[in-house]
Amino acid sequence: MKEEITRSSGNVFTDLGFPPEEAAILAMRADLMAQLRLTVEKRDWTQVDAAKALGISQSRVSDLMRGKWDKFSLDMLVTLATRAGLHCELKLAA
C-alpha cells in the first residue's frame, strides 16, 4: 500500500479541518504557549517561580507547561507573555 503525502497549508489546525477563523486563533494560541514554555525553561523557573512572575497559580503554570491550550484564551496568553517581558504583535499577511 502506497502512502499519500499531503502538503501542509502551513497551519496544522486548518489541515485538521478547523474553519479558517478558528484555525488562525488556535495557531496563535499554540505559538504563544510554546514561547511561554520556552521562556520558563530558559529562565530555569520552577512552576512556583513562574506563577509568581506571571501572576497566576502554580496549577495554571502546570496547565501551560503541559500544553493544555483549551484552558487559555488568546487574551490571557497575550497577558502572560507581556508579564514575562515578551513583546507581542499581530502581523497580517495576504
Side-chain angles (χ1 to χ4, degrees):
M1 180 164 148
K2 186 175 180 181
E3 291 184 33
E4 184 177 326
I5 298 173
T6 303
R7 184 173 298 273
S8 172
S9 68
N11 181 326
V12 67
F13 299 104
T14 299
D15 297 343
L16 290 171
F18 286 92
E21 60 279 3
E22 189 174 355
I25 291 170
L26 289 169
M28 285 187 261
R29 284 168 55 192
D31 288 345
L32 278 167
M33 286 190 80
Q35 288 303 315
L36 282 163
R37 282 194 310 269
L38 286 173
T39 298
V40 169
E41 291 168 0
K42 284 180 185 176
R43 294 179 183 174
D44 290 324
W45 282 345
T46 65
Q47 288 190 4
V48 171
D49 295 334
K52 287 178 186 173
L54 300 175
I56 57 175
S57 68
Q58 179 274 324
S59 64
R60 294 284 282 158
V61 173
S62 177
D63 289 340
L64 178 72
M65 300 305 287
R66 295 174 69 199
K68 294 188 175 182
W69 56 268
D70 57 317
K71 296 193 178 237
F72 294 90
S73 68
L74 184 57
D75 288 353
M76 180 53 124
L77 290 167
V78 169
T79 298
L80 295 177
T82 302
R83 288 178 183 168
L86 302 175
H87 175 74
C88 296
E89 69 179 51
L90 175 65
K91 292 185 179 183
L92 300 175

